Amino acid sequence: MPTQDKYDRFKVLVLTVGCINYDHDINHFEPIRGLFKHTLRYDYFARLVELGRDGMNAELINLVNHQRPDYVFYITYQDQVELNTLVKIRNTGSKLIGWFSDDQWRFDQFSKKLARYLDYQITTDENAFDRYRELG
């Protein structure tokens, strides 16, 4: 098992939706913050409400450019984060990880379209693994 020091060198940005449907921070941000010493939280849904879609996406790109996280953990919801924003995040060198919690019913309409913009996908649907593999 890796030592905690190994994780201390990584910076992680968690893109969360706050408390939509349930408290995503308890299930996602808090465990990640417990593992990685340098963890930042960005509630893209709250910022969307405050800034609008274009403003939130511009702010997110600026945050990634300024902070230069090693990993961006993206808790997906709908299409608030634009595909072009995901491309720009990956172009910084950050590894983009997508969390898909509804692949049982949203894979074909949603997750499949985002997968190619991400470096890694996490899903709660054990049947989605082969479908992600087929996408490449």
Side-chain angles (χ1 to χ4, degrees), residues 69-94:
D70 298 290
Y71 296 97
V72 176
F73 190 89
Y74 172 30
I75 301 166
T76 62
Y77 185 59
Q78 294 171 342
D79 63 352
Q80 294 86 0
V81 177
E82 297 171 353
L83 298 178
N84 190 44
T85 298
L86 299 177
V87 169
K88 289 178 180 179
I89 290 171
R90 286 182 77 194
N91 286 342
T92 68
S94 297

Side-chain angles (χ1 to χ4, degrees), residues 39-133:
T39 307
L40 307 167
R41 176 185 180 275
Y42 184 80
D43 185 338
Y44 68 88
F45 197 81
R47 299 304 291 157
L48 172 78
V49 171
E50 292 178 30
L51 302 174
R53 188 171 185 212
D54 291 342
M56 178 275 295
N57 278 274
E59 181 179 72
L60 176 54
I61 292 165
N62 287 334
L63 178 64
V64 171
N65 283 327
H66 177 72
Q67 292 293 330
R68 296 287 186 195
D70 298 290
Y71 296 97
V72 176
F73 190 89
Y74 172 30
I75 301 166
T76 62
Y77 185 59
Q78 294 171 342
D79 63 352
Q80 294 86 0
V81 177
E82 297 171 353
L83 298 178
N84 190 44
T85 298
L86 299 177
V87 169
K88 289 178 180 179
I89 290 171
R90 286 182 77 194
N91 286 342
T92 68
S94 297
K95 296 293 183 188
L96 194 51
I97 303 165
W99 172 264
F100 298 104
S101 57
D102 297 319
D103 277 345
Q104 295 85 345
W105 61 277
R106 286 192 350 150
F107 180 84
D108 289 325
Q109 300 82 11
F110 182 74
S111 307
K112 175 169 112 171
K113 296 173 186 173
L114 280 180
R116 69 180 180 176
Y117 295 91
L118 307 170
D119 295 290
Y120 306 100
Q121 299 85 25
I122 298 172
T123 182
T124 57
D125 180 11
E126 66 185 59
N127 297 314
F129 292 116
D130 290 334
R131 292 188 286 178
Y132 279 115
R133 228 177 261 118

